[in-house]
Amino acid sequence: MAKPAPYLPVESPPRPSRAEAEEAVRTLIRWAGDNPDREGLLDTPKRVATAYEEWFSGYGVDPVDMLQRTFEETEGYDEIVLLRDIRFESFCEHHLAPIIGKAHVAYLPSTRVIGISKLARLIEIFAKRMQIQEKLTAQIANTLDEVLQPKGVAVVLEAQHQCMTTRGVHKTGVSMVTSRLLGAFRSNTDTRREFLSMISSTGQNAGSGV
Ligand SMILES: [Zn+2]
């Protein structure tokens, strides 16, 4: 299997100061046609910078590090472990518009398992970055595969892209679905079928709930 791509931008220019970031927001406000000095907008650059810190908090967190603590006492459990319908919020790297959806993440343990909150955290670390859905899907699957070395990993993301609903083609109600299947989920038809039936028994789809 190919090594996963590096997760942090390799060559990032030096990070600007917070004052520079706020000034850039003022510029965008002026570009949009409003006056950043009117009362309602005075604190907006500050708020936007703070929001960016939260929306893009996935940079600077090492997902492999975060996953390091695994458990080996599994009593021989060797069936699929699935966390489904995990809501995630990300931003498309082309428009910085929200991508909101649900993730289903499964693995087939070999000798190690991890706490379920770590699975959710893994999704968040990659989601809170500038993304395309395909890359987000692959990063989650590859990292889980690399750290746990399970018999298989399956990741399915269903999401709505606000760059498509609020601009451009203005198509609402459209979900994009991406998947990455590794190991047994790719090679074994029964395992794949079991996974697909486990995630489809949710009785709802990601698009309607977001
Ligand atoms: Zn976009």
Side-chain angles (χ1 to χ4, degrees):
M1 187 185 319
K3 277 295 277 177
Y7 299 122
L8 294 169
V10 185
E11 286 174 38
S12 300
R15 202 176 181 204
S17 68
R18 190 177 172 106
E20 286 174 301
E22 291 178 15
E23 193 50 44
V25 177
R26 285 174 56 87
T27 303
L28 281 175
I29 291 171
R30 287 208 314 277
W31 166 249
D34 213 319
N35 174 9
D37 293 319
R38 72 175 173 83
E39 198 190 350
L41 287 173
L42 266 185
D43 286 333
T44 298
K46 201 182 298 173
R47 290 192 204 98
V48 171
T50 302
Y52 260 51
E53 286 175 338
E54 185 175 341
W55 289 336
F56 300 111
S57 57
Y59 291 110
V61 188
D62 183 340
V64 174
D65 240 34
M66 186 279 299
L67 284 178
Q68 271 325 324
R69 185 152 178 269
T70 59
F71 306 101
E72 299 197 357
E73 288 177 26
T74 59
E75 299 284 339
Y77 184 89
D78 60 356
E79 301 292 335
I80 295 173
V81 176
L82 165 68
L83 205 60
R84 72 183 186 194
D85 296 325
I86 311 151
R87 183 188 151 98
F88 71 86
E89 296 147 4
S90 190
F91 285 82
C92 88
E93 67 184 30
H94 301 137
H95 304 94
L96 301 186
I99 302 172
I100 297 174
K102 284 181 180 174
H104 313 290
V105 178
Y107 65 97
L108 196 58
S110 170
T111 55
R112 289 187 280 181
V113 293
I114 48 166
I116 53 170
S117 64
K118 297 247 168 140
L119 279 183
R121 179 82 179 112
L122 175 66
I123 295 163
E124 186 173 279
I125 289 173
F126 285 121
K128 299 283 190 200
R129 298 179 182 192
M130 295 171 198
Q131 280 289 6
I132 61 170
Q133 191 175 323
E134 295 88 336
K135 184 172 68 177
L136 178 58
T137 310
Q139 287 176 333
I140 295 166
N142 293 348
T143 306
L144 203 53
D145 192 51
E146 183 185 315
V147 176
L148 275 189
Q149 301 188 333
K151 292 176 188 149
V153 170
V155 175
V156 172
L157 302 189
E158 310 170 37
Q160 291 195 340
H161 291 235
Q162 290 189 12
C163 60
M164 191 176 166
T165 58
T166 65
R167 57 163 292 288
V169 292
H170 291 275
K171 289 285 178 254
T172 54
V174 179
S175 292
M176 178 165 166
V177 181
T178 47
S179 67
R180 182 152 174 87
L181 306 176
L182 301 172
F185 291 95
R186 182 182 281 252
S187 61
N188 184 317
T189 322
D190 290 339
T191 306
R192 183 166 59 239
R193 196 178 297 132
E194 187 184 349
F195 167 69
L196 293 174
S197 90
M198 283 167 91
I199 66 170
S200 64
S201 61
T202 56
Q204 56 188 50
N205 73 54
S208 59
V210 296

